[in-house]
Amino acid sequence: MSKPNKKRYVMSQVRQQFSDAVGGEDIEVELSNGEVLTFPHPLFADDEWSTKVDEAESNRDKAHAILGDEQYDKFVAAGHQDADVALLFLAVQQDMQGQVKRRPTRS
């Protein structure tokens, strides 16, 4: 039973509004050699990816968890260091906080 003057959130709409606010469900990063890598936006990542990232302790472990082994190798081959992934992830989080300022609209 619904309460008077209350509306229901529709998950597909909530997800779409946040996706629009942060620029999509994936993050793209251009390496110094021009190659582009992608990884899930933290708001939309699956549980397995999120758990790996959360459990990673060192910069190298975190870089592997975020990028995956194949993209990690490309990242390093382009001359980047593990700490660069930490900086990138921090930039994504700060951007996310700046973009998601208010809750989604209700239907």
Side-chain angles (χ1 to χ4, degrees):
M1 180 175 186
S2 68
K3 297 178 181 179
N5 299 324
K6 295 289 181 176
K7 296 186 179 184
R8 180 176 297 151
Y9 287 98
V10 178
M11 283 308 305
S12 61
Q13 292 174 357
V14 170
R15 186 176 185 92
Q16 185 61 52
Q17 288 174 349
F18 277 104
S19 177
D20 292 346
V22 298
E25 294 189 19
D26 292 314
I27 300 294
E28 291 185 349
V29 58
E30 184 175 329
L31 304 180
S32 59
N33 64 3
E35 190 167 3
V36 176
L37 305 181
T38 62
F39 59 91
H41 192 288
L43 283 176
F44 303 103
D46 63 34
D47 293 340
E48 182 180 347
W49 185 90
S50 295
T51 298
K52 285 180 184 178
V53 172
D54 290 344
E55 290 177 349
E57 293 184 18
S58 68
N59 280 343
R60 176 162 289 169
D61 291 342
K62 187 140 323 243
H64 272 282
I66 291 169
L67 297 174
D69 293 335
E70 183 180 325
Q71 289 194 125
Y72 174 81
D73 291 342
K74 292 177 182 180
F75 188 79
V76 172
H80 299 283
Q81 298 180 12
D82 295 331
D84 293 338
V85 175
L87 292 173
L88 172 63
F89 204 65
L90 181 60
V92 168
Q93 290 174 328
Q94 288 179 342
D95 188 44
M96 177 175 53
Q97 290 173 352
Q99 295 298 321
V100 183
K101 296 178 183 174
R102 57 190 169 102
R103 66 181 177 171
T105 58
R106 294 182 281 188
S107 63

